[in-house]
Amino acid sequence: MSNQTKAPEIEALERAVRVSDQSCTAYAILRDRYRRFSTALDLMILVLSAWLTAMVFVQPEIGIQLSPRGVSKDLWIGLLSIAAFCLSLVQLQVNWKGRAISYQLAATALSGFVKEFRPILGAATVTQAQVGLARYQVLSDSLEPIPDSKFLALKQAHAVKVEMSKHLDQYPGASLSLLRFRLWWRDTWQSKKPSAK
């Protein structure tokens, strides 16, 4: 098939694998982001709860010392209780932990698809391509979509990751921060230079 044009199914499978790889990166970034949000919220609630417990059981003199200046111990305990309750409501409403799990499942499913079909792309038959496309369709329909507002930033993150990975294959000791800056400089400023004719 080297001199012949590829069958449309094989080209579609190649595109599906490419898009799945990009989406896998996007879902992994979203998973990590929402996991951090969830952990931060959990820690704030735990710290507030621990502080409240300490305020209740310490002696009144120590409770006054642990309260902000000009605020009574009872008022401070009330404010902390309201803050902990409000954060718990936020936790229930935003469900960052559930979103992180959902994005983790999506990343795992797409990663499995890429691992299964990328090795056969060079020698895939039309039948294999049709099977792969059917699998891809089922996967696409079952996954939570990537938010449109975040799509371009996530696509950029994937493209930068691929570029950095290629560079690190040749120069494994390169500084990641400097490499990222170099790519930013190249793509932001050098791409604006008029091309030589």
Side-chain angles (χ1 to χ4, degrees):
M1 260 197 143
S2 56
N3 295 330
Q4 300 174 353
T5 59
K6 294 179 183 175
E9 293 88 351
I10 294 175
E11 288 182 350
L13 180 62
E14 289 174 351
R15 182 184 180 284
V17 169
R18 193 171 58 250
V19 169
S20 294
D21 189 37
Q22 176 183 302
S23 297
C24 191
T25 300
Y27 282 121
I29 290 170
L30 290 170
R31 172 205 62 206
D32 294 345
R33 182 178 301 162
Y34 285 107
R35 191 176 285 161
R36 281 193 305 270
F37 292 168
S38 172
T39 301
L41 192 54
D42 286 346
L43 287 174
M44 284 192 289
I45 293 171
L46 285 172
V47 167
L48 280 175
S49 300
W51 191 264
L52 278 167
T53 304
M55 291 289 287
V56 168
F57 289 109
V58 296
Q59 294 177 357
E61 297 80 22
I62 297 174
I64 293 170
Q65 294 296 322
L66 293 175
S67 301
R69 198 169 283 174
V71 178
S72 72
K73 175 189 169 193
D74 293 334
L75 178 59
W76 181 235
I77 289 174
L79 291 173
L80 290 179
S81 300
I82 291 169
F85 178 70
C86 289
L87 287 175
S88 299
L89 291 179
V90 169
Q91 186 180 45
L92 288 173
Q93 186 63 35
V94 296
N95 192 24
W96 286 333
K97 196 175 292 184
R99 291 174 81 176
I101 291 169
S102 174
Y103 290 137
Q104 169 66 42
L105 294 173
T108 302
L110 287 173
S111 175
F113 173 79
V114 171
K115 285 178 187 173
E116 182 178 349
F117 288 98
R118 180 182 278 157
I120 67 165
L121 283 181
T125 64
V126 172
T127 304
Q128 288 173 320
Q130 289 171 338
V131 169
L133 289 172
R135 265 250 352 259
Y136 177 70
Q137 187 63 47
V138 170
L139 269 177
S140 297
D141 292 343
S142 66
L143 299 179
E144 183 176 341
I146 294 170
D148 283 341
S149 61
K150 296 178 175 62
F151 176 77
L152 289 178
L154 293 169
K155 181 176 182 176
Q156 180 185 45
H158 175 75
V160 168
K161 182 185 93 169
V162 170
E163 283 287 314
M164 290 178 72
S165 179
K166 287 177 185 175
H167 186 83
L168 289 173
D169 286 342
Q170 292 182 332
Y171 308 101
S175 164
L176 294 179
S177 300
L178 289 177
L179 179 55
R180 189 178 301 277
F181 177 78
R182 183 177 163 202
L183 289 173
W184 172 82
W185 183 266
R186 181 195 73 186
D187 296 341
T188 303
W189 299 108
Q190 290 186 338
S191 62
K192 293 182 179 182
K193 289 182 179 177
S195 57
K197 293 186 179 178

